[in-house]
Amino acid sequence: MADSGDIRFLLAIRDSGSLLGAARKLGVTPSAVTQRLQGLEKQLEIRLVDRSARRLCLTTEGELLCRRGGELVQQFDALFDDLLQQRQALAGSLKINAPLGFGRRYLSDIVADFQHAHPDIEIALTLSDQPLAETIARFDVVVHIGELRLSNLVGHALAPNARLLCASPSFIRRHGMPASPEALAQLPCIVLNENNEDVSLWHFRRGQQSRSVRVSSKLSCNDGEVIRRWACAGRGIILRSEWDVADDLAAGRLVRLLPGWKAPDADVIALTHDRAGLPARIRHFTRFLQERFRPVPPWRK
């Protein structure tokens, strides 16, 4: 019968994506990983990993063991983490995933401060241009900006964040101020490629009125920093998060367009797994995040 060590072993294979990667993560030889996997499959009389595919993937039974077993391991870790908390100690590993630009500007210092306050916690911060495209099961906390599709994760509100339509003063001098959302279709726009969304279809609302505009874009990038710089240089109009353009608006490098029309908000949230089984270090870090963005987020100060 598999124990928690066997489940952790299989989770390491899943998260690494290969037997070689699992060997590196576990600090053993590839042959040791292969032998242990074969022994576990023989013991359970079930094939857990499909080795015939071009890339390693788990069988249906392997996925089930990882999913259900992972929940049990998490609860097991939470139990001992709570016991440590009785001694006023926080320890263990914390894996965080966040968007690139937001993570660099706002999260990196927060993460470092939290680790400094709790030196027995090991933190791995992963920044990605498509954080939700990652395997969320690999992370303890995922910081997400914007609308959240159906998910079994628990959301913790961090900060409000509007999406603003902006262009540089030089762009406005050349092209004039758009009078309506429909006018955007005739103007050069810049789009941010993220989360596999339809990024050139922009939505706006004013009172009971709503408009959706398909913009024309000859410049696009998956890095928000790049499209913000392009906009400041007068290359086009951007629809960008408030957290990213607030400084440029205050300094006059960008000007807000169509202030009477509101794009959908893109609030900042932290996603975790089931609230009941969370280790203390994750609960404390989530609260630490919330405290750092309250009562007013830095982009609104």
Side-chain angles (χ1 to χ4, degrees):
M1 180 177 180
D3 58 21
S4 63
D6 292 327
I7 295 173
R8 294 179 196 275
F9 168 71
L10 190 60
L11 289 171
I13 293 177
R14 183 200 65 184
D15 294 346
S16 302
S18 69
L19 299 183
L20 180 59
R24 291 171 179 165
K25 184 173 184 177
L26 297 170
V28 299
T29 64
S31 61
V33 171
T34 300
Q35 291 173 8
R36 182 171 180 181
L37 176 60
Q38 291 173 344
L40 181 58
E41 289 179 327
K42 183 177 180 180
Q43 177 186 357
L44 297 174
E45 298 182 348
I46 295 174
R47 191 172 182 83
L48 299 172
V49 177
D50 183 3
R51 303 168 185 77
S52 62
R54 289 187 175 181
R55 59 184 302 275
L56 182 146
C57 61
L58 299 180
T59 64
T60 301
E61 293 79 9
E63 289 283 2
L64 176 62
L65 184 56
C66 280
R67 184 173 66 254
R68 298 285 296 277
E71 294 172 358
L72 295 174
V73 167
Q74 187 180 52
Q75 293 175 15
F76 185 81
D77 289 344
L79 170 61
F80 282 90
D81 196 74
D82 286 341
L83 291 175
L84 284 173
Q85 192 180 14
Q86 297 301 316
R87 298 190 291 116
Q88 302 299 316
L90 290 176
S93 64
L94 183 59
K95 293 173 287 186
I96 306 164
N97 183 281
L100 275 168
F102 189 85
R104 282 195 299 261
R105 188 178 301 188
Y106 295 110
L107 288 185
S108 58
D109 287 345
I110 295 176
V111 167
D113 289 347
F114 183 78
Q115 199 283 325
H116 180 74
H118 305 286
D120 291 331
I121 296 180
E122 298 178 1
I123 301 181
L125 173 63
T126 300
L127 301 182
S128 169
D129 61 339
Q130 292 185 319
L132 286 187
E134 304 282 352
T135 304
I136 294 181
R138 299 178 184 176
F139 299 98
D140 301 305
V141 180
V142 175
V143 175
H144 177 67
I145 301 174
E147 182 183 1
L148 180 64
R149 297 184 179 88
L150 293 178
S151 171
N152 59 355
L153 299 177
V154 178
H156 309 262
L158 296 183
N161 174 54
R163 297 172 72 224
L164 307 178
L165 196 67
C166 307
S168 70
S170 63
F171 180 91
I172 295 170
R173 286 194 294 270
R174 292 197 310 273
H175 297 276
M177 281 280 194
S180 67
E182 290 80 2
L184 299 175
Q186 308 303 320
L187 294 170
C189 295
I190 305 170
V191 298
L192 174 66
N193 298 316
E194 60 179 352
N195 290 334
N196 297 319
E197 297 174 355
D198 188 353
V199 294
S200 64
L201 185 62
W202 292 356
H203 305 282
F204 302 93
R205 180 174 292 277
R206 183 176 65 182
Q208 299 301 313
Q209 303 178 68
S210 61
R211 298 286 188 275
S212 294
V213 182
R214 177 70 68 182
V215 299
S216 174
S217 174
K218 294 185 178 180
L219 278 176
S220 65
C221 185
N222 66 337
D223 188 335
E225 173 69 12
V226 170
I227 73 164
R228 186 187 61 79
R229 289 182 180 179
W230 283 342
C232 289
R235 304 295 184 181
I237 297 172
I238 59 172
L239 181 62
R240 192 70 185 112
S241 279
E242 178 185 5
W243 68 260
D244 192 31
V245 297
D247 290 346
D248 293 313
L249 290 170
R253 291 184 292 269
L254 291 175
V255 177
R256 186 176 177 185
L257 308 180
L258 300 176
W261 290 88
K262 182 177 176 58
D265 288 334
D267 293 342
V268 186
I269 60 175
L271 302 172
T272 64
H273 299 280
D274 183 12
R275 199 185 302 267
L278 288 181
R281 61 183 175 275
I282 299 177
R283 299 197 303 270
H284 277 251
F285 177 71
T286 303
R287 287 197 294 269
F288 189 80
L289 271 179
Q290 291 175 321
E291 291 167 0
R292 291 291 289 265
F293 287 103
R294 293 175 179 172
V296 180
W299 51 89
R300 292 191 177 180
K301 291 181 180 178

